[in-house]
Amino acid sequence: MLLLLVLAILVGGALQRVTGMGFGLVAGPFIVLIAGPLEGVLFVNLAGAIAAGLILGRVARDVDWRRYAWLAATSVAVMIPAALLLRGASTAALEIAVGAFVVVAMTLAVVTTRLRRGGHHPVRPEARVPLVVTGVASGVGSVAAGIGGPPVAIYSVLSGWDPRGFAATAQPFFATNALAALVTKLTLTDASFPPFAVWQWAVVLGAVVLGLVLGDLLAPRVPAAAVRRGLIVLAYVGGAATLVQGLLHLG
């Protein structure tokens, strides 16, 4: 189990460094599948916050702080209501929610990417309502599934956000989102961290750092198109596996 967890973290961490997002989206479903829905999502929040915080130190000058403020404020504002609603959810329901969220979100991301290829950007960068909607969707996703990236990725495509600016701004947002979701769930639900030994915690947290180092090495060598395709495939596989496990638990 630990080996699979480390592999998922390495892949997710590398993609987070290369593309600006991907840790929760790729590693999250596998972590939930291995550690369970409650413990797994909490761990995704913690590791995701660490990964985003480490990357932020290298990209801070490119952050769009105005967009960050709107996204972060609206995302954090909905977390307490979302956590209260999910407090009594069953294991199977949470697994299904995690899997379905990833599959649906990635499908939307693929569809909206086609809009970008056509040169259409229906969302104006200065518009506030799309930022509010994106922040709310991301906050709910972070609490329910430990995954707040897809709504932000969809917004970036629809608004034509510069990839470098998006990748930089995503880091403080994801860190804020993950920490707020973590505190909310520890306070308002029965969620707890996976029962790892000290050495196991050292291994998995070290894997987060190593994943970012691998991302540093891969970033100048891997074509962006290949990274996007790999992200989509891995997210679909992980989401589908978690969804199937939830459905099996219902039986």
Side-chain angles (χ1 to χ4, degrees):
M1 185 186 82
L2 184 63
L3 177 59
L4 291 175
L5 189 59
V6 167
L7 290 175
I9 291 170
L10 287 175
V11 173
L15 284 170
Q16 180 89 3
R17 176 63 187 93
V18 173
T19 67
M21 59 174 287
F23 186 88
L25 189 62
V26 174
F30 292 101
I31 293 171
V32 169
L33 196 63
I34 294 166
L38 294 176
E39 296 85 353
V41 169
L42 206 62
F43 179 81
V44 171
N45 290 143
L46 175 63
I50 293 172
L54 291 173
I55 296 172
L56 177 59
R58 308 189 59 163
V59 299
R61 64 181 178 276
D62 295 319
V63 173
D64 183 335
W65 292 106
R66 183 191 69 84
R67 290 201 214 191
Y68 158 75
W70 278 99
L71 290 170
T74 51
S75 177
V76 171
V78 302
M79 286 186 178
I80 291 178
L84 291 173
L85 288 173
L86 295 172
R87 181 156 45 179
S90 66
T91 297
L94 288 173
E95 287 174 335
I96 291 171
V98 170
F101 183 85
V102 173
V103 171
V104 172
M106 281 310 307
T107 300
L108 289 173
V110 170
V111 171
T112 51
T113 298
R114 295 183 180 275
L115 289 176
R116 189 173 197 173
R117 287 175 181 168
H120 302 293
H121 303 300
V123 174
R124 291 182 295 110
E126 68 275 12
R128 294 180 179 178
V129 172
L131 282 170
V132 170
V133 173
T134 301
V136 169
S138 185
V140 173
S142 293
V143 171
I147 301 170
V152 187
I154 293 168
Y155 168 82
S156 74
V157 171
L158 293 176
S159 63
W161 199 345
D162 171 66
R164 174 176 288 187
F166 163 71
T169 308
Q171 303 317 308
F173 173 67
F174 289 150
T176 301
N177 226 25
L179 288 174
L182 188 151
V183 171
T184 299
K185 282 180 285 188
L186 284 175
T187 305
L188 299 178
T189 72
D190 296 328
S192 60
F193 289 107
F196 294 152
V198 174
W199 70 270
Q200 290 174 317
W201 275 108
V203 168
V204 295
L205 293 178
V208 174
V209 177
L210 181 56
L212 300 181
V213 172
L214 291 175
D216 270 333
L217 297 175
L218 291 172
R221 296 176 174 84
V222 179
V227 172
R228 284 193 294 271
R229 285 195 295 268
L231 176 65
I232 291 170
V233 170
L234 286 170
Y236 269 123
V237 171
T242 307
L243 178 60
V244 169
Q245 177 165 292
L247 293 173
L248 291 175
H249 282 163
L250 285 178

